[in-house]
Amino acid sequence: MPRAIQIAAFGGPEELQLVDLPVGEPGPGEIRIRHHACGLNFIDIYQRTGLYTGPLPLTLGMEGAGIVEAVGEDVTHLRVGERAAYASNPPGSYSEARVMPAKTVCKLPDDIGFETGAAMMLKGLTAQYLLKKARPVEGLEPGDFVLFHAAAGGVGLIACQWAKALGLQLIGTAGGTAKCALALEHGAAHAIDYAKEDFVARVKEITGGKGVKVVYDSVGKDTWEGSLNCLRPFGLMASFGNASGPVPPFAPGALGPKGSLYVTRQTLFTHIATRESTQAMADDLFGAVLSGSVKIRIDQRYPLTEVAQAHRDLEARKTTGCTILLP
Ligand SMILES: NC(=O)c1ccc[n+]([C@@H]2O[C@H](COP(=O)([O-])OP(=O)(O)OC[C@H]3O[C@@H](n4cnc5c(N)ncnc54)[C@H](OP(=O)(O)O)[C@@H]3O)[C@@H](O)[C@H]2O)c1
């Protein structure tokens, strides 16, 4: 019987348990996939702790790559035996095999390996929509400054490279000298060690006092206020995560005096709600990876059975780039 990692209760990494999980046949609109690798994402931690709740017991994991083993009725874009990868709701990729909705599963190009496929879908599609769809009202032109927090992480290193390819001057924040160096190596125009430096003051200095057009903020609670103070008038606060904790309620009135700012809270799952939108975004990502403008850096690999350690390392800010779990 296929094995999977489940939680029976919300809590710490110790809740992650290896279980035998029967996998049936796909129904209409579904496929069965046998995983070669799955991706680790910070959202897995929110789901484990219960910050984002779901029905229990819950098999975690929202990103994976493998071989399509069976195809349900009405699925026309995938065939048995094909290589595929996905970022998808509901969770369940921490498993040897699973049945899942087919609409967000994409055929993996021949020149992209399973490990890369598993590492890049959720993080790469996120970087795609952030840079290309979550746009400030005044638009983004080559040369414009944007601020991206946690720039040496999984989404971060992809965003650094993609922003550079788009001609943007990405100012990346990261904790520590080594992480800052990594962000610069991957295309960030500037890096700020926000563990030591006042990132608001540094952004003002770098931009000649003007501020940035967009802040991409996945850190949440700890950076929220500072991020708003880095924006130029009509700038966009694109909040997309809570690695340091959720942003507390705020008064919209504060956005006026700071320069008539815009705030949005984005999630990938709105962007990949349909087969068509998922495929269009994935094609863009595959193109960026195949052209070499975005390299998927996998810095950590763990056996699926050691997922608890992977969670501890991600939470403790010990990882850089992407992390995969191997069934
Ligand atoms: N809304 C969406 O559509 C969407 C999709 C994908 C990811 N996300 C979000 O994007 C972020 C990045 O995801 P990822 O999977 O690529 O993770 P990651 O960036 O590889 O890891 C998270 C990073 O956040 C930074 N961080 C800052 N404060 C932290 C704290 N108190 N505890 C732990 N880490 C902290 C750390 O980097 P430093 O040490 O450099 O500070 C850490 O390495 C996460 O917040 C995730 O939830 C959102």
Side-chain angles (χ1 to χ4, degrees), residues 285-306:
L285 173 62
F286 293 149
V289 170
L290 290 169
S291 72
S293 55
V294 172
K295 294 193 177 60
I296 304 300
R297 187 181 161 111
I298 302 173
D299 283 340
Q300 299 77 216
R301 290 176 170 79
Y302 303 81
L304 182 58
T305 49
E306 288 175 25

Side-chain angles (χ1 to χ4, degrees), residues 183-206:
L184 290 170
E185 228 176 85
H186 286 77
H190 302 269
I192 302 171
D193 178 354
Y194 59 1
K196 287 206 197 96
E197 299 174 272
D198 174 348
F199 74 84
V200 181
R202 287 278 288 119
V203 166
K204 288 281 157 66
E205 189 189 326
I206 292 165

Side-chain angles (χ1 to χ4, degrees), residues 42 46 126 129 153-155 174-175 179 194 218 240 243 266 268 317:
F42 218 90
Y46 308 143
T126 299
Y129 84 70
V155 179
K179 285 188 178 184
Y194 59 1
S218 66
F240 71 105
Q266 298 271 314
L268 172 65
R317 307 164 86 153

Side-chain angles (χ1 to χ4, degrees), residues 187-269:
H190 302 269
I192 302 171
D193 178 354
Y194 59 1
K196 287 206 197 96
E197 299 174 272
D198 174 348
F199 74 84
V200 181
R202 287 278 288 119
V203 166
K204 288 281 157 66
E205 189 189 326
I206 292 165
T207 60
K210 290 198 174 119
V212 297
K213 271 191 171 173
V214 191
V215 180
Y216 302 101
D217 190 332
S218 66
V219 171
K221 182 171 66 66
D222 289 355
T223 45
W224 174 261
E225 194 61 36
S227 294
L228 292 176
N229 294 333
C230 288
L231 284 164
R232 68 183 223 181
F234 306 111
L236 175 66
M237 169 67 157
S239 167
F240 71 105
N242 356 252
S244 67
V247 176
F250 72 99
L255 303 175
K258 287 185 192 294
S260 304
L261 302 181
Y262 289 77
V263 172
T264 180
R265 176 52 162 95
Q266 298 271 314
T267 166
L268 172 65
F269 301 105

Side-chain angles (χ1 to χ4, degrees), residues 40-319:
L40 181 75
N41 290 283
F42 218 90
I43 192 171
D44 306 349
I45 292 173
Y46 308 143
Q47 291 176 341
R48 192 204 71 219
T49 59
L51 177 65
Y52 297 174
T53 54
L56 296 171
L58 181 66
T59 307
L60 294 180
M62 307 191 88
E63 187 176 45
I67 299 271
V68 178
E69 266 191 353
V71 173
E73 254 175 67
D74 305 332
V75 177
T76 53
H77 69 287
L78 291 168
R79 290 200 206 101
V80 171
E82 278 182 337
R83 302 166 70 255
Y86 65 86
S88 187
N89 242 335
S93 71
Y94 287 11
S95 58
E96 290 172 344
R98 73 181 290 199
V99 167
M100 65 180 296
K103 75 175 179 191
T104 52
V105 183
C106 299
K107 211 175 137 182
L108 192 60
D110 290 344
D111 292 336
I112 300 181
F114 287 121
E115 293 196 355
T116 301
M120 73 184 216
M121 293 299 283
L122 198 147
K123 300 166 201 77
L125 294 177
T126 299
Q128 200 275 353
Y129 84 70
L130 286 173
L131 292 170
K132 299 205 174 177
K133 296 184 172 180
R135 311 284 284 193
V137 280
E138 294 191 327
L140 271 184
E141 310 294 335
D144 280 344
F145 284 107
V146 299
L147 176 64
F148 205 105
H149 289 303
V155 179
L157 286 183
I158 296 174
C160 286
Q161 298 172 77
W162 215 331
K164 183 173 185 189
L166 294 170
L168 299 172
Q169 300 203 65
L170 182 146
I171 304 171
T173 61
T177 315
K179 285 188 178 184
C180 285
L182 206 55
L184 290 170
E185 228 176 85
H186 286 77
H190 302 269
I192 302 171
D193 178 354
Y194 59 1
K196 287 206 197 96
E197 299 174 272
D198 174 348
F199 74 84
V200 181
R202 287 278 288 119
V203 166
K204 288 281 157 66
E205 189 189 326
I206 292 165
T207 60
K210 290 198 174 119
V212 297
K213 271 191 171 173
V214 191
V215 180
Y216 302 101
D217 190 332
S218 66
V219 171
K221 182 171 66 66
D222 289 355
T223 45
W224 174 261
E225 194 61 36
S227 294
L228 292 176
N229 294 333
C230 288
L231 284 164
R232 68 183 223 181
F234 306 111
L236 175 66
M237 169 67 157
S239 167
F240 71 105
N242 356 252
S244 67
V247 176
F250 72 99
L255 303 175
K258 287 185 192 294
S260 304
L261 302 181
Y262 289 77
V263 172
T264 180
R265 176 52 162 95
Q266 298 271 314
T267 166
L268 172 65
F269 301 105
T270 319
H271 292 275
I272 59 170
T274 67
R275 165 97 279 281
E276 293 70 29
S277 62
T278 307
Q279 193 62 52
M281 288 169 67
D283 287 345
D284 194 23
L285 173 62
F286 293 149
V289 170
L290 290 169
S291 72
S293 55
V294 172
K295 294 193 177 60
I296 304 300
R297 187 181 161 111
I298 302 173
D299 283 340
Q300 299 77 216
R301 290 176 170 79
Y302 303 81
L304 182 58
T305 49
E306 288 175 25
V307 62
Q309 189 56 47
H311 273 228
R312 286 188 191 100
D313 292 346
L314 184 60
E315 275 176 298
R317 307 164 86 153
K318 286 186 181 159
T319 64

